[in-house]
Amino acid sequence: MIPVFLAQLAKERRHPVILIVLIAASVAGTVIFTGGTQAPTEIAIFSEGTQSEAIEEKWETLLNHNSELQFVVSNPEDARESVQQGQADLAIRLTETDYTVITSSTMPDVAVAEQHVRSVFEQEAVIESALAQSVQPELLRTEIESAIGDPVMQMNVSSLGGDELSGYDMKTQLIFAFTLLTAMFMIGFRVNNILKDKVYGLWDRMILSPVTKTGMYTAYITYAFFIGFVQILIVMLIFRYFMNVELGDRFDLLLIVLAIFTFSMVSVATLLTGLVKKPELFYAIYPSVIPMIPIISGAYMVPGTITNPVLLFIGDLFPVSHAMDALLDIVMYNATLQDVTQPIMMMILIGVISMGIGVNLVERRSV
Amino acid sequence: MIETIQLSKKFKDKTVVQDVDMYLDQGESVGLLGPNGAGKSTTISMISSLLKPSSGDVKLNGESIIKNPSDIRKVLGVVPQDIALYQELTAYENLKFFGRIYRVPKDQLEDRIQHTLELVGLKDRQKDLIKTFSGGMKRRINIASALLHQPNILILDEPTVGIDPQSRNYILEMIRRLKVQNGTTILYTSHYMEEVEQLCDRVYIMDHGKVIASGSQSELLSILSNEDTISVQLSKMSPPLAKEVLALEPVRQVEEDGDTLKIISKKSSNIISDLVRLADQHQVKIINFQMVNPSLEDVFLHLTGRTLRD
Ligand SMILES: Nc1ncnc2c1ncn2[C@@H]1O[C@H](COP(=O)(O)OP(=O)(O)O)[C@@H](O)[C@H]1O
Ligand SMILES: [Mg+2]
């Protein structure tokens, strides 16, 4: 079994193009989704003129109140320069009652930030005009603020399904969806090596050797798991240490979920391999089917976008939707292992069943 | 040592191998000769335990291998008809892989690999990827991969198909050396009768899934002892002429080969005058005329009315 595994590894080492391309695609996808390597949550604010310090202080508090974005006071030249050089997507120049967005980008995060800034300024304008007519301005401000904090009517930007829409959430979601997608490609290609080696007669040669059939399947399947997980791990490490992608505080739990996803996907790929007779056919079908699974599962869309029960059911048959649930819960809501038990169990269930059927089908397909 | 008893294989309704009885003794080299599609590969797949027979049995030293294939696998080296190697790995890496799956002891593996590479004459190319090799070189590594565990019995399935004459001679010479120096028992499959004639002590001739003749070469050739093989070179080939020659009473078989007619006729029957007359009628000149020593090819022609290459 070990020599069979090592031969697969040796092939990969001689020919790492696919691995490198898929890792590069994951990273490139992330750069595109997040608009660069800049940590997306920090936005420079500054003011010019005599009153600048007071203005900056006032708006810094107001803007940072109740926001996932982080507004940091900085010096005007630095802020402008980093926007010009593309290090930051935007900066905001403040005056007493108004602001200007400085940007050269049309990334969605700019719009999200602008929307927040505008609503803060509008609210402040309303409060100040009310205060101007009031006899007891201090009391009124407290009243208004508590009223806003507990509104009678509230308008929110929300998705079709009613969940709260947040640009930041969407990006994390896309990053994971893309990473899982590229991993699904890798896993499928490597599981398909079973078919390939059968066609080339290597499988028969191994059968004649003292290696057992169980050993052979174990070697191919463990290898597919190994290389799939290595790919995901490399991508995650790049995200975490080189790109400052926000991955939450539970990196260990994240990796556990990703490992279980990898196992589950290896099984599904084995099942698909068993359903297809020829390796060429697999190469034709797999790459066209796989990208559809995250779409059906809604991995590229705001949660709740897909409401068609048939699509939802099909999506749930694949591990990717469960993996996304667990990953997003961990990253965005600091979920613990207990909180993500259900998606993990689903993935394990899918994995065990597909593996059982898959290996039997692959075995039966051989003469 | 190995014998097959009424060995048969059906795929769906198609009988591909039918009632084949064969045996192989220790140290022998046996040829399995037959045209493409005769059922040679299917037969050796059953002998090597890769394929279950539809009926019949394969025995190693009197024990059936069908229930318990591990005994035969231990003593067997099989060189498949198609190149079964990792094209993306080097020759050395491939041999190392096969050595490992055959559990060659670690301390001997390196020596065996080098020794085997030397045997197939590719020691200086061991660091090169298989996919950069010529057809003949791939074939040699394909054979080398089956030798690392030093099998007692070597089964080779058409190991010289589609390669240059030089590689072919190299391979034949190599197999002969294995037999002579190591006493390896050899089962050699081919549709080239010259190879089988050169290499094998005994021959089975297969056609349409059945063994149609077997024995040592002289035994097989004696099938033709009641017949003459005559080769007639014509100024140009004339199919109507060939047809009429075949219609002559003593003539058994006629084969057209370029502008030469190969005629098998009853021994000492005088057909020469008839030939001259027929050639005249068809306005064809006879350029050359000779009696030839029969070959296994002629035996096949005699038995089936076809050539091996049909
Ligand atoms: N797995 C199979 N299913 C159906 N037919 C097969 C299969 N394998 C071989 N055959 C058929 O059996 C016949 C003999 O094939 P084979 O043993 O490969 O002949 P040879 O090796 O003498 O050229 C051929 O007609 C081939 O098409
Ligand atoms: Mg064959």
Side-chain angles (χ1 to χ4, degrees):
Chain A
M1 182 205 140
I2 291 164
V4 181
F5 184 97
L6 291 178
Q8 304 283 314
L9 186 61
K11 276 200 295 183
E12 204 82 63
R13 271 182 28 217
R14 291 251 168 231
H15 211 76
V17 186
I18 295 181
L19 184 63
I20 292 169
V21 166
L22 289 174
I23 289 174
S26 302
V27 173
T30 302
V31 172
I32 292 164
F33 295 140
T34 60
T37 52
Q38 172 81 15
T41 46
E42 251 180 46
I43 295 170
I45 51 174
F46 61 90
S47 179
E48 289 155 314
T50 45
Q51 294 251 296
S52 65
E53 266 181 40
I55 295 172
E56 282 163 356
E57 206 173 312
K58 169 187 169 193
W59 289 114
E60 186 186 12
T61 324
L62 287 167
L63 285 170
N64 280 323
H65 183 67
N66 259 337
S67 172
E68 276 168 355
L69 301 166
Q70 209 180 334
F71 296 86
V72 183
V73 176
S74 70
N75 110 14
E77 287 85 56
D78 290 351
R80 284 207 171 85
E81 206 173 286
S82 66
V83 172
Q84 270 160 16
Q85 292 175 351
Q87 287 158 347
D89 281 336
L90 75 162
I92 290 164
R93 193 172 70 91
L94 306 163
T95 61
E96 178 69 46
T97 56
D98 205 358
Y99 67 94
T100 323
V101 174
I102 300 169
T103 183
S104 58
S105 159
T106 51
M107 294 303 294
D109 56 332
V110 174
V112 171
E114 220 240 292
Q115 194 182 23
H116 172 73
V117 174
R118 190 191 316 138
S119 72
V120 170
F121 271 84
E122 281 169 3
Q123 184 182 317
E124 194 54 25
V126 172
I127 294 173
E128 295 211 342
S129 74
L131 293 184
Q133 293 158 24
S134 164
V135 266
Q136 281 183 298
E138 286 312 306
L139 187 65
L140 185 61
R141 174 177 271 277
T142 326
E143 260 176 38
I144 293 172
E145 276 179 355
S146 78
I148 290 168
D150 183 16
V152 184
M153 223 190 333
Q154 189 177 26
M155 193 181 85
N156 250 334
V157 184
S158 40
S159 71
L160 296 174
D163 291 294
E164 198 168 337
L165 178 68
S166 147
Y168 164 68
D169 290 0
M170 198 58 216
K171 271 186 286 188
T172 311
Q173 188 180 337
L174 287 175
I175 288 169
F176 278 115
F178 209 63
T179 304
L180 297 188
L181 177 68
T182 55
M184 281 155 81
F185 274 105
M186 187 53 153
I187 290 166
F189 291 154
R190 289 304 164 255
V191 170
N192 188 44
N193 277 351
I194 299 178
L195 284 190
K196 222 169 116 189
D197 288 354
K198 274 191 178 179
V199 169
Y200 286 126
L202 279 155
W203 188 263
D204 278 351
R205 288 195 114 160
M206 285 183 238
I207 287 180
L208 290 176
S209 79
V211 182
T212 61
K213 237 182 206 169
T214 317
M216 286 155 65
Y217 279 112
T218 314
Y220 279 87
I221 285 164
T222 354
Y223 183 75
F225 172 83
F226 166 79
I227 199 70
F229 190 66
V230 163
Q231 182 186 320
I232 291 179
L233 188 64
I234 293 174
V235 171
M236 285 298 140
L237 291 176
I238 293 175
F239 286 169
R240 188 178 153 125
Y241 293 106
F242 294 99
M243 296 177 71
N244 293 324
V245 174
E246 178 57 49
L247 293 175
D249 307 326
R250 292 298 309 273
F251 197 61
D252 53 342
L253 192 53
L254 215 56
L255 292 184
I256 290 173
V257 170
L258 287 167
I260 292 168
F261 163 77
T262 310
F263 156 73
S264 191
M265 194 55 217
V266 168
S267 303
V268 170
T270 310
L271 180 61
L272 294 174
T273 303
L275 292 171
V276 175
K277 262 187 201 134
K278 297 194 174 80
E280 306 82 46
L281 198 60
F282 184 89
Y283 281 125
I285 291 175
Y286 193 78
S288 41
V289 168
I290 285 307
M292 279 160 45
I293 295 169
I295 295 173
I296 293 171
S297 308
Y300 302 137
M301 280 161 272
V302 175
T305 308
I306 292 192
T307 50
N308 180 323
V310 178
L311 288 186
L312 283 176
F313 177 74
I314 296 174
D316 279 348
L317 293 179
F318 291 91
V320 69
S321 60
H322 308 288
M324 289 299 292
D325 282 353
L327 294 171
L328 297 185
D329 281 355
I330 294 166
V331 173
M332 295 180 197
Y333 309 113
N334 282 319
T336 60
L337 185 58
Q338 279 80 34
D339 299 330
V340 293
T341 313
Q342 196 206 336
I344 285 180
M345 292 314 284
M346 286 304 292
M347 285 192 281
I348 292 177
L349 189 69
I350 293 170
V352 171
I353 293 173
S354 319
M355 184 65 78
I357 302 172
V359 169
N360 269 297
L361 280 180
V362 173
E363 183 57 23
R364 200 157 316 159
R365 294 281 168 177
S366 65
V367 178
Chain B
M1 182 157 66
I2 293 184
E3 70 181 317
T4 71
I5 300 145
Q6 297 285 297
L7 195 62
S8 302
K9 183 71 192 179
K10 268 188 187 176
F11 290 115
K12 305 244 165 73
D13 287 338
K14 195 168 147 210
T15 303
V16 168
V17 173
Q18 195 174 356
D19 300 331
V20 167
D21 292 312
M22 283 174 58
Y23 70 91
L24 246 91
D25 278 335
Q26 175 73 46
E28 264 193 315
S29 81
V30 172
L32 185 54
L33 184 65
N36 280 328
K40 306 181 297 293
S41 297
T42 309
T43 304
I44 61 175
S45 289
M46 289 190 282
I47 295 177
S48 54
S49 82
L50 276 173
L51 197 62
K52 280 217 158 50
S54 309
S55 65
D57 205 352
V58 179
K59 288 186 174 172
L60 174 71
N61 300 325
E63 303 268 342
S64 171
I65 64 151
I66 291 167
K67 285 241 172 57
N68 183 12
S70 63
D71 284 348
I72 197 161
R73 288 179 185 176
K74 265 181 224 141
V75 294
L76 211 58
V78 178
V79 180
Q81 180 171 349
D82 301 312
I83 311 282
L85 300 170
Y86 285 117
Q87 302 277 340
E88 308 90 332
L89 298 185
T90 64
Y92 176 85
E93 286 166 336
N94 269 282
L95 293 188
K96 192 163 188 178
F97 168 69
F98 284 106
R100 275 179 172 164
I101 61 173
Y102 273 100
R103 312 220 169 119
V104 173
K106 262 209 182 86
D107 52 336
Q108 294 174 28
L109 185 57
E110 191 58 36
D111 277 355
R112 293 250 188 114
I113 293 173
Q114 294 309 327
H115 176 81
T116 313
L117 280 165
E118 211 158 341
L119 186 76
V120 300
L122 288 171
K123 201 167 177 174
D124 53 336
R125 296 292 306 269
Q126 59 179 295
K127 296 254 156 61
D128 295 345
L129 300 183
I130 296 290
K131 63 179 172 196
T132 66
F133 280 15
S134 73
M137 282 155 50
K138 285 181 188 170
R139 289 254 166 226
R140 285 190 257 163
I141 296 294
N142 203 35
I143 297 173
S145 312
L147 298 176
L148 288 160
H149 60 295
Q150 300 179 327
N152 216 336
I153 308 166
L154 187 62
I155 298 182
L156 301 108
D157 195 355
E158 310 215 27
T160 60
V161 165
I163 61 175
D164 57 290
Q166 203 189 335
S167 284
R168 187 173 172 189
N169 289 335
Y170 199 104
I171 288 173
L172 292 176
E173 186 47 44
M174 194 177 95
I175 297 168
R176 206 184 341 248
R177 245 183 319 183
L178 279 174
K179 174 180 143 68
V180 174
Q181 291 173 3
N182 301 8
T184 309
T185 308
I186 285 164
L187 177 58
Y188 188 92
T189 290
S190 178
H191 67 270
Y192 297 115
M193 58 91 199
E194 315 90 84
E195 294 181 350
V196 174
E197 278 176 342
Q198 267 181 52
L199 210 62
C200 301
D201 307 325
R202 275 191 313 117
V203 182
Y204 289 88
I205 300 182
M206 251 189 121
D207 190 34
H208 293 311
K210 290 186 206 159
V211 170
I212 54 172
S214 66
S216 67
Q217 286 187 40
S218 55
E219 283 167 347
L220 285 171
L221 294 176
S222 74
I223 294 175
L224 298 180
S225 63
N226 293 323
E227 278 152 2
D228 284 332
T229 305
I230 304 155
S231 167
V232 184
Q233 197 188 348
L234 304 170
S235 58
K236 66 173 201 299
M237 177 48 66
S238 156
L241 170 62
K243 226 174 185 172
E244 288 197 34
V245 172
L246 185 60
L248 292 173
E249 196 276 326
V251 173
R252 296 275 155 76
Q253 305 284 357
V254 174
E255 188 210 341
E256 298 168 26
D257 181 12
D259 53 7
T260 303
L261 278 183
K262 202 175 213 183
I263 302 166
I264 296 176
S265 73
K266 224 191 262 173
K267 192 132 196 124
S268 312
S269 58
N270 196 346
I271 60 163
I272 295 166
S273 55
D274 287 330
L275 275 177
V276 173
R277 180 176 51 79
L278 287 173
D280 243 21
Q281 274 176 19
H282 288 88
Q283 289 161 358
V284 177
K285 281 204 194 70
I286 293 178
I287 290 170
N288 192 345
F289 178 98
Q290 68 185 123
M291 306 284 288
V292 290
N293 288 328
S295 66
L296 290 180
E297 182 84 43
D298 301 322
V299 174
F300 190 81
L301 183 63
H302 165 83
L303 292 168
T304 65
R306 291 177 293 116
T307 63
L308 280 166
R309 254 147 275 203
D310 277 349

